[in-house]
Amino acid sequence: VGMARCMEALNRPNDALQYINTGLSKAPADSTLRQMLLTFQLTHGNPQDAINEVQAEIHRTPNSPQLYAALGDTYLRYARILEANKQHDEAVKTVQVSGKMLQDALTRWPDEAPLYAVLSETLLAVNQPADAEKVLLTWAARNLWKSRPDPYERLADLYQRVGKPDAAEASMRTALARSNYQVSLQIQMARLLTSHKKVDEALHLLKATNADRPEVRREIVLEMLAANRFEDAQAQLRADLDKQPTDSAVLLTIWARALLDHKQYAAAIDKATAALALNPNSVDARYCRARARLLVQPPDPAAALDDLAIVRKTAPNDAEVRVDLADAYLEMNRNDEAANELRAGLQANPNNKVVRMKLVQIYSLGAHPQWSEVLRLMQEVDGTAPFNADPEIFKAESTALS
């Protein structure tokens, strides 16, 4: 599984498929590998193969409602691919087939939550929100489910997506009450309120219940920061850290990131360093400190480089990390090493314009510009969307040719 995901991240789908098939030959019932195979067939292969695969599973295990839900989900994903390719009529036909199959499955298994969830998504996909709502209300009315949060959580999501904020809030409040104020739903409710510009109400909700839970404590600060209440967030962080909670390293990292966003780079370095003293393995704190070290005046590229080298081991395909490494090397006049980082970043992220143009910048400057390399970088993408309509690409290409 790990190698398959690694190959996918490196944009090597055929190698990923090889690892998936090898895994399935050893563990044919592994649900993660089977899901990865379906995803591969939908995105890189023949989507009909993915549908056939699930239908074959149903033929082998005809009394599994989970397989019918999986088939509905596969149809839905295929329909979205068709829509993205502007094949609207085919997408509608696919969704209609799926809807009929799911309705029949619900007749057999009227208390299976995944069937309701996939059917509502299917109806939304063909712009039938009223019918999707009816499906979820039917689910919520079932004796087995009427006292549980799940249907109401789905209803809240539906109402939010179709532009009914009051109904979304009412459904989420019901879900929260049915869950006996489960922390994850409390946070969802707070975020929903914040999205409706009801920040004070969201903060009151978070502080009223479960306020001693680390995830709720962190959410209070994050909500304040999202609402641009930086000083309030700092005061809250100070008060929380005075209690020496178990998640102090996380809180310090959040504070460091907020300081970085507010261009208080020296303070960000201090908070990130304090976080790393508590948890040396915190990649977030280390990356925050590295960026602050690059931005502080005067910058400290050597120290930033030390941090970024560690971050890169954890996230070798992260384009932003590669760009930051290049900036550190450039600050130290080590242009060749900067270019090496960007080439590696481009190999993992060939469609990343920032990485590509940064490399163009390096090749274009200096006593001996490498115009042939600039031209190659531009010609690799000048016929591919969205680069084929990007004036910056053609300007760089024209400069290289002249």
Side-chain angles (χ1 to χ4, degrees):
V1 171
M3 286 301 299
R5 285 179 174 155
C6 203
M7 293 300 107
E8 190 68 38
L10 289 170
N11 198 30
R12 292 163 57 181
N14 291 331
D15 291 334
L17 178 61
Q18 184 176 347
Y19 280 108
I20 292 168
N21 286 332
T22 299
L24 285 171
S25 68
K26 297 176 181 178
D30 188 284
S31 59
T32 301
L33 286 166
R34 301 202 76 80
Q35 188 63 39
M36 290 175 74
L37 178 60
L38 292 179
T39 299
F40 177 89
Q41 291 165 337
L42 284 167
T43 54
H44 301 296
N46 181 359
Q48 188 60 49
D49 290 342
I51 293 170
N52 292 343
E53 177 78 18
V54 184
Q55 287 175 331
E57 288 281 349
I58 289 174
H59 182 74
R60 289 191 289 269
T61 315
N63 295 318
S64 170
Q66 291 82 8
L67 285 176
Y68 284 87
L71 180 58
D73 181 62
T74 305
Y75 273 125
L76 182 59
R77 291 162 69 188
Y78 181 32
R80 286 171 175 158
I81 291 171
L82 291 169
E83 278 289 357
N85 293 330
K86 304 192 184 306
Q87 296 174 263
H88 177 70
D89 291 344
E90 287 300 312
V92 170
K93 287 178 185 176
T94 300
V95 167
Q96 287 172 340
V97 170
S98 176
K100 175 65 168 62
M101 179 273 297
L102 290 165
Q103 291 279 14
D104 291 344
L106 274 171
T107 301
R108 295 177 63 188
W109 299 289
D111 285 315
E112 285 297 323
L115 294 173
Y116 287 103
V118 177
L119 179 56
S120 66
E121 286 293 328
T122 300
L123 292 166
L124 277 176
V126 288
N127 198 28
Q128 295 179 18
D131 290 335
E133 180 187 18
K134 287 178 184 176
V135 167
L136 295 177
L137 289 171
T138 299
W139 177 22
R142 297 287 304 173
N143 286 334
L144 186 64
W145 290 99
K146 60 174 58 175
S147 62
R148 299 187 187 183
D150 309 60
Y152 299 98
E153 186 181 357
R154 283 277 179 177
L155 278 163
D157 178 65
L158 181 146
Y159 291 135
Q160 179 72 355
R161 288 160 66 184
V162 300
K164 295 182 177 181
D166 292 343
E169 288 180 23
S171 292
M172 185 56 80
R173 288 190 190 281
T174 301
L176 187 56
R178 296 279 196 277
S179 75
N180 196 25
Y181 281 78
Q182 181 179 312
V183 167
S184 62
L185 288 181
Q186 184 183 4
I187 290 173
Q188 279 189 54
M189 181 77 224
R191 290 176 180 175
L192 183 65
L193 289 167
T194 299
S195 73
H196 298 162
K197 310 298 182 186
K198 298 180 179 180
V199 178
D200 289 329
E201 198 172 334
L203 291 172
H204 176 76
L205 172 71
L206 291 167
K207 292 177 179 179
T209 309
N210 299 320
D212 59 335
R213 294 285 296 271
E215 52 267 61
V216 174
R217 186 165 51 233
R218 294 194 292 268
E219 188 65 24
I220 290 170
V221 173
L222 292 173
E223 294 288 350
M224 289 175 175
L225 291 171
N228 293 318
R229 299 183 181 183
F230 180 53
E231 294 305 326
D232 289 346
Q234 289 204 101
Q236 185 68 47
L237 283 163
R238 234 177 254 111
D240 288 340
L241 286 164
D242 282 345
K243 300 172 187 174
Q244 297 184 329
T246 56
D247 63 333
S248 290
V250 177
L251 293 173
L252 284 163
T253 302
I254 292 171
W255 200 345
R257 180 69 211 189
L259 289 163
L260 179 67
D261 291 341
H262 284 77
K263 300 183 180 181
Q264 297 183 27
Y265 304 126
I269 293 168
D270 290 343
K271 297 301 181 191
T273 300
L276 287 164
L278 295 172
N279 179 13
N281 296 321
S282 173
V283 176
D284 291 339
R286 195 168 295 279
Y287 185 47
C288 181
R289 187 171 70 175
R291 287 195 47 77
R293 282 172 162 172
L294 284 174
L295 294 167
V296 73
Q297 292 300 320
D300 188 355
L305 199 60
D306 290 339
D307 281 336
L308 289 167
I310 295 172
V311 174
R312 182 183 53 194
K313 291 178 182 178
T314 305
N317 298 320
D318 190 306
E320 288 187 21
V321 174
R322 294 286 183 175
V323 170
D324 288 330
L325 277 159
D327 284 337
Y329 280 123
L330 289 172
E331 191 71 36
M332 300 166 72
N333 295 315
R334 293 161 64 178
N335 292 15
D336 290 343
E337 288 160 290
N340 288 339
E341 290 295 339
L342 293 169
R343 279 193 290 267
L346 199 59
Q347 184 177 2
N349 305 275
N351 294 324
N352 189 296
K353 180 184 172 182
V354 173
V355 175
R356 189 173 292 273
M357 298 311 292
K358 190 82 173 179
L359 190 53
V360 164
Q361 177 189 350
I362 291 174
Y363 287 144
S364 302
L365 301 177
H368 305 287
Q370 301 180 51
W371 296 118
S372 61
E373 287 300 308
V374 172
L375 188 61
R376 179 184 62 79
L377 285 169
M378 297 299 93
Q379 289 180 337
E380 281 179 352
V381 295
D382 64 7
T384 307
F387 299 105
N388 59 356
D390 190 328
E392 194 174 358
I393 298 295
F394 292 103
K395 181 180 178 181
E397 190 171 338
S398 175
T399 302
L401 286 168
S402 65

